[in-house]
Amino acid sequence: MRLKIQFYVLSCLILLLVEGCSSARKIEKPSPAVRYSAEIYAKKLLEYEPTWPAISGKAALFFEVDGGKGKKVTANVRIERGEMIRFSVAPLLGVEVMRMEISPEGLLLLDRLHKQYVQVSFEELEDLLQVHLDYQTFQALFLNEIFFPGKSNLQTSDIDEFHVKEENQGLWLETDAAKDMDFSFLISAGSGLLERCCIGMKKTSRFFICDYGTFEEFAGRLFPRRLSLLTEGGHNVLRFDLQYSRLSVTEAIGERTTIPSRYAKIGLYDLLKMVER
């Protein structure tokens, strides 16, 4: 039963990551004077963004659908910049039973218990869900970084591509540069840290929010040990919470997951049917 729950949690994580989003609240361009001071604030945030090659550690994962009871699992986490985001569940004496890997090619889920896998490219996901998501977006979300559609590395000059507005709670950066999505970021007025990212699908009521919390010192900067992902406006309300622990900066090894030849491939919809059972 425990292994079944762990498979359910990691499978549902795929649903959460590819679930539709919705337009965030529109932000009007502020006056030039306000824009100038806000840009300086935002550029400072970009200047201090880390360039870690990779981080690894453990994470407690919690998944909930439509306000239900929810499921918990502990996983090993490894994030290699530009290469992969990997969650590995190994509850029995360190023996891995489940692995989910996000790479520039798409999503891969290995079910070692049943010797099967799901592999979906971002192009396939876009065709299925009418949502354009890429590896850079996922990497930025898990590393607490600002991102811009079509750019792998932001420079301070890229702040000019955002609409900027100051509010009591902080600074909002927003762009509608993507063809079908809006992005907005909330920078705290008190700490100057990135506290929220909103991704919205244009002309729909669906949205995707990532909130950050519990900022602690890590490798020379304040880094959130907790993030919460929430989607609404689709068929289900999905929530995914992640609490990092024992994080460390490591060197990238660039070794992607190899699919064993004896594993059977199943489709995304087959996976969804298994999750529903």
Side-chain angles (χ1 to χ4, degrees):
M1 176 62 69
R2 185 179 180 184
L3 295 181
K4 183 177 180 181
I5 289 175
Q6 291 165 342
F7 175 69
Y8 172 86
V9 171
L10 276 186
S11 301
C12 286
L13 177 55
I14 284 186
L15 292 180
L16 180 68
L17 292 176
V18 303
E19 180 73 13
C21 315
S22 140
S23 297
R25 180 167 54 89
K26 292 293 182 180
I27 299 175
E28 297 179 357
K29 285 189 177 181
S31 64
V34 174
R35 181 178 175 83
Y36 178 73
S37 60
E39 284 181 351
I40 292 178
Y41 200 19
K43 286 178 180 179
K44 287 295 182 182
L45 182 66
L46 284 181
E47 287 175 2
Y48 289 106
E49 279 192 350
T51 56
W52 305 321
I55 64 173
S56 62
K58 285 187 173 295
L61 311 179
F62 174 79
F63 185 84
E64 180 184 277
V65 180
D66 293 332
K69 184 178 179 180
K71 306 295 182 182
K72 295 181 180 180
V73 67
T74 299
N76 296 313
V77 181
R78 183 174 183 84
I79 304 176
E80 294 193 8
R81 192 175 294 277
E83 288 290 334
M84 66 180 178
I85 301 166
R86 179 185 294 166
F87 294 90
S88 172
V89 177
L92 303 175
L93 302 176
V95 178
E96 183 181 68
V97 297
M98 188 65 54
R99 174 180 294 192
M100 190 190 76
E101 187 171 285
I102 309 170
S103 73
E105 283 69 49
L107 303 177
L108 171 66
L109 177 69
L110 279 187
D111 175 11
R112 297 196 185 280
L113 186 63
H114 301 96
K115 293 182 172 54
Q116 58 191 10
Y117 70 97
V118 176
Q119 189 172 39
V120 186
S121 69
F122 290 116
E123 288 76 14
E124 290 174 298
L125 292 175
E126 184 173 2
D127 291 339
L128 288 170
L129 303 173
Q130 301 302 305
V131 178
H132 176 69
L133 298 173
D134 57 19
Y135 176 80
Q136 188 64 28
T137 300
F138 293 131
Q139 175 180 280
L141 289 174
F142 282 105
L143 292 180
N144 186 230
E145 297 177 347
I146 296 174
F147 57 93
F148 188 81
K151 291 192 176 183
S152 58
N153 294 294
L154 287 186
Q155 307 297 321
T156 55
S157 59
D158 291 320
I159 292 299
D160 295 335
E161 303 293 337
F162 292 89
H163 307 310
V164 187
K165 183 179 181 179
E166 287 180 311
E167 296 183 350
N168 292 334
Q169 58 185 327
L171 173 71
W172 279 100
L173 305 179
E174 184 182 77
T175 178
D176 56 2
K179 62 180 181 179
D180 56 357
M181 303 174 73
D182 295 321
F183 301 87
S184 59
F185 305 89
L186 176 63
I187 303 172
S188 169
S191 63
L193 298 170
L194 176 60
E195 293 190 337
R196 170 172 284 195
C197 170
C198 300
I199 305 175
M201 285 300 300
K202 295 178 180 178
K203 301 179 180 180
T204 76
S205 61
R206 293 171 295 175
F207 65 89
F208 176 83
I209 295 176
C210 182
D211 284 315
Y212 301 97
T214 316
F215 285 84
E216 297 179 1
E217 184 71 24
F218 172 62
R221 63 156 287 183
L222 290 174
F223 185 74
R225 292 303 180 103
R226 179 185 61 80
L227 66 85
S228 180
L229 307 176
L230 175 70
T231 69
E232 290 188 0
H235 296 296
N236 301 103
V237 177
L238 305 174
R239 185 182 189 91
F240 171 74
D241 294 329
L242 180 151
Q243 181 81 37
Y244 288 114
S245 64
R246 293 164 50 184
L247 279 179
S248 62
V249 176
T250 62
E251 293 298 322
I253 58 177
E255 293 181 2
R256 303 266 184 87
T257 297
T258 300
I259 303 172
S261 59
R262 65 183 183 278
Y263 278 36
K265 183 176 183 179
I266 62 175
L268 181 59
Y269 288 116
D270 295 323
L271 173 64
L272 302 188
K273 291 178 182 178
M274 293 177 64
V275 171
E276 291 173 353
R277 289 204 295 264

